[in-house]
Amino acid sequence: MPEHMGTHIDAPVHTVQGMWKTDQIPIEKLYGPGVIINVKEKVKSNPDYRVTVEDLMMWEKKFGEMPRHAIAIMNSGWSDKYPNKTQIYGSTQHTNISLFHFPSWHVDAVTWLINKRQINAVGVDTPSTDFGQASSYPCHLTLGKNNVVGIEYVANLDKVPENGSTIYVPVLKLFDGSGGPVRVFATFDDEPNITNAAAILTSLTSYFCFVIFFSMILLREIGL
Amino acid sequence: MPEHMGTHIDAPVHTVQGMWKTDQIPIEKLYGPGVIINVKEKVKSNPDYRVTVEDLMMWEKKFGEMPRHAIAIMNSGWSDKYPNKTQIYGSTQHTNISLFHFPSWHVDAVTWLINKRQINAVGVDTPSTDFGQASSYPCHLTLGKNNVVGIEYVANLDKVPENGSTIYVPVLKLFDGSGGPVRVFATFDDEPNITNAAAILTSLTSYFCFVIFFSMILLREIGL
């Protein structure tokens, strides 16, 4: 099983030498308040969309200032495309990365999350924390040099409230790893307005929901 | 990476055909109230010790009736032996399983947990849910036929309170899996009497602690 397969993290050392390897990431960086940035509408008309600082401002306008040490994940609706590789990459040519079209973060938004909100990790429901048309990897590099974890191929984000969850990213503690597979999930209290989520939740006080995962089921099919 | 490496689960199908595969285990079976059965003293004089129904009774005498759907894990202190294979297996011959000596569960205790307390999962800090000297695999078989998850090679159990935690077992959702690696962890509220744990905890309301894992760090060394 490769480190960067399925729902997985990029350890900071993946892009910047000397930064944390998978086994070195402090546990307190692997969970935090969930911040879901919903850009599904914007992505519909623009598969090259990148989450902007303005999107983050809009989230704060709705929910208040983001908690420190959050796990922020873009919900672009991209997980609906699995396991169709052509749809995931936005291209019929699956080995020519210059033709890829899928959304992700703008480096300015990532920088803002790091500097202004001390983010713990930044995630996407697409193949990369840099968008498909990226020719360089500014988000990867910014995350790496700031020792911030990236999370790729997250799923089921519609089932998690945009605010108020706790997201866990308990990556396998791979020795010397540059990343690693993980079954990300969220816990949150049941609320009357979260009907979809409620349906799959249990009756404990703190509810537990799968956030992630395409994981291996689909990965075996498409070999990502 | 093999399915049964490092801290990992055995899916019920591992021993009984037709039962849950790794990707089929319902999410609500992969977390629950933590019940830690401390048999460290008993194991010191008997490496072939098996947790008894009486041990479970003693836990209940101390903490009250076990919550339903718990994750019960034996703490035998065995994790201190890593990564020394000879100590782990209690034998210098690492391929002759008939010579193995390490503690685990007695099938009567496992049966009691299933029938009387509707346990979600049963774990050990040793290599197997059946003890080293087992010639058949009664615990594995009992867990399998009751669709109960087994967890092997758990670590850091001294850092988790014997009662009052929530334990999470977010195994990688491997398609058709007979098991899978997992970074098990526990959350619990800080309490004045948990000084060891408090030291490694964070300042959030719900505290988060590594229960498990030797994980790959040691596993790479010893190739378990």
Side-chain angles (χ1 to χ4, degrees):
Chain A
M1 188 191 301
E3 291 175 339
H4 298 270
M5 175 170 144
T7 304
H8 70 274
I9 69 148
D10 288 348
V13 74
H14 186 46
T15 46
V16 181
Q17 238 181 347
M19 307 312 277
W20 289 326
K21 297 174 180 178
T22 305
D23 58 302
Q24 297 171 328
I25 301 168
I27 184 62
E28 63 266 23
K29 300 290 183 185
L30 293 176
Y31 75 109
V35 168
I36 309 297
I37 307 296
N38 188 329
V39 292
K40 290 167 74 174
E41 281 307 313
K42 290 169 177 173
V43 163
K44 276 182 187 165
S45 57
N46 179 12
D48 300 323
Y49 190 75
R50 287 174 284 176
V51 177
T52 63
V53 175
E54 196 185 20
D55 291 324
L56 303 177
M57 299 288 97
M58 282 173 61
W59 190 97
E60 293 206 337
K61 198 171 171 191
K62 199 167 171 186
F63 299 113
E65 190 170 301
M66 282 179 200
R68 295 316 189 259
H69 312 300
I71 310 285
I73 307 183
M74 170 187 77
N75 181 9
S76 70
W78 220 250
S79 63
D80 295 344
K81 301 182 186 301
Y82 289 80
N84 186 316
K85 262 188 173 177
T86 295
Q87 286 186 33
I88 295 166
Y89 295 137
S91 167
T92 54
Q93 297 185 47
H94 305 156
T95 51
N96 185 347
I97 61 172
S98 73
L99 299 177
F100 285 1
H101 293 275
F102 55 78
S104 192
W105 291 85
H106 192 286
V107 67
D108 291 349
V110 168
T111 302
W112 188 91
L113 286 170
I114 292 170
N115 292 339
K116 305 292 185 186
R117 297 295 179 265
Q118 291 77 55
I119 198 89
N120 268 1
V122 172
V124 289
D125 55 358
T126 56
S128 172
T129 50
D130 281 289
F131 78 139
Q133 281 291 291
S135 55
S136 62
Y137 297 94
C139 294
H140 275 82
L141 289 166
T142 300
L143 292 169
K145 75 182 179 192
N146 286 283
N147 257 339
V148 174
V149 168
I151 318 168
E152 294 170 342
Y153 290 115
V154 180
N156 293 326
L157 290 164
D158 286 343
K159 294 176 179 164
V160 183
E162 292 175 16
N163 182 39
S165 73
T166 300
I167 293 182
Y168 296 86
V169 191
V171 63
L172 294 183
K173 200 175 179 177
L174 297 170
F175 179 65
D176 260 359
S178 72
V182 55
R183 193 157 178 179
V184 182
F185 65 90
T187 60
F188 47 93
D189 291 333
D190 195 16
E191 289 176 80
N193 59 337
I194 309 174
T195 48
N196 276 347
I200 61 163
L201 296 178
T202 74
S203 57
L204 297 189
T205 314
S206 181
Y207 290 99
F208 184 88
C209 159
F210 256 151
V211 176
I212 295 229
F213 178 71
F214 298 102
S215 248
M216 309 306 146
I217 289 190
L218 298 174
L219 290 166
R220 179 172 287 197
E221 287 179 40
I222 59 175
L224 284 176
Chain B
M1 186 191 303
E3 289 174 341
H4 297 270
M5 175 171 146
T7 304
H8 70 274
I9 70 148
D10 288 348
V13 75
H14 185 45
T15 45
V16 180
Q17 239 182 347
M19 307 311 277
W20 288 327
K21 298 175 179 177
T22 305
D23 58 301
Q24 295 172 329
I25 301 168
I27 184 62
E28 62 267 24
K29 300 289 183 187
L30 294 176
Y31 76 108
V35 168
I36 309 298
I37 307 296
N38 188 329
V39 293
K40 290 167 75 174
E41 282 307 312
K42 289 170 176 170
V43 163
K44 275 180 188 166
S45 57
N46 179 12
D48 299 323
Y49 191 77
R50 286 174 285 177
V51 177
T52 64
V53 175
E54 195 186 22
D55 290 325
L56 303 177
M57 296 291 99
M58 282 174 62
W59 190 97
E60 292 206 338
K61 197 170 172 191
K62 199 168 171 186
F63 300 112
E65 190 170 302
M66 281 180 202
R68 295 318 192 256
H69 310 300
I71 310 286
I73 307 184
M74 172 188 74
N75 180 10
S76 69
W78 219 252
S79 64
D80 295 344
K81 302 185 186 298
Y82 289 81
N84 185 317
K85 262 187 172 177
T86 296
Q87 287 187 33
I88 296 167
Y89 294 137
S91 167
T92 54
Q93 297 185 47
H94 306 156
T95 52
N96 185 346
I97 61 173
S98 74
L99 300 177
F100 285 0
H101 293 275
F102 56 78
S104 191
W105 291 85
H106 192 287
V107 66
D108 291 348
V110 168
T111 302
W112 188 91
L113 285 170
I114 292 170
N115 292 340
K116 305 292 185 186
R117 297 294 179 264
Q118 292 77 55
I119 198 87
N120 268 1
V122 171
V124 289
D125 55 358
T126 57
S128 172
T129 51
D130 280 290
F131 78 139
Q133 280 293 293
S135 54
S136 63
Y137 296 94
C139 294
H140 275 82
L141 288 165
T142 301
L143 292 169
K145 75 181 180 195
N146 286 283
N147 256 340
V148 175
V149 169
I151 319 168
E152 296 169 341
Y153 291 115
V154 180
N156 294 326
L157 290 164
D158 286 342
K159 294 177 180 165
V160 184
E162 291 175 15
N163 182 39
S165 73
T166 301
I167 294 181
Y168 296 86
V169 192
V171 63
L172 294 183
K173 199 175 181 177
L174 298 170
F175 178 66
D176 259 0
S178 72
V182 54
R183 194 160 178 177
V184 182
F185 65 90
T187 60
F188 48 91
D189 290 333
D190 195 15
E191 289 176 78
N193 60 338
I194 310 173
T195 48
N196 277 347
I200 61 161
L201 296 178
T202 73
S203 57
L204 295 189
T205 315
S206 181
Y207 292 99
F208 183 89
C209 159
F210 256 153
V211 176
I212 297 220
F213 181 76
F214 296 103
S215 279
M216 312 303 146
I217 287 191
L218 298 174
L219 291 165
R220 179 171 287 195
E221 286 178 42
I222 57 173
L224 287 175

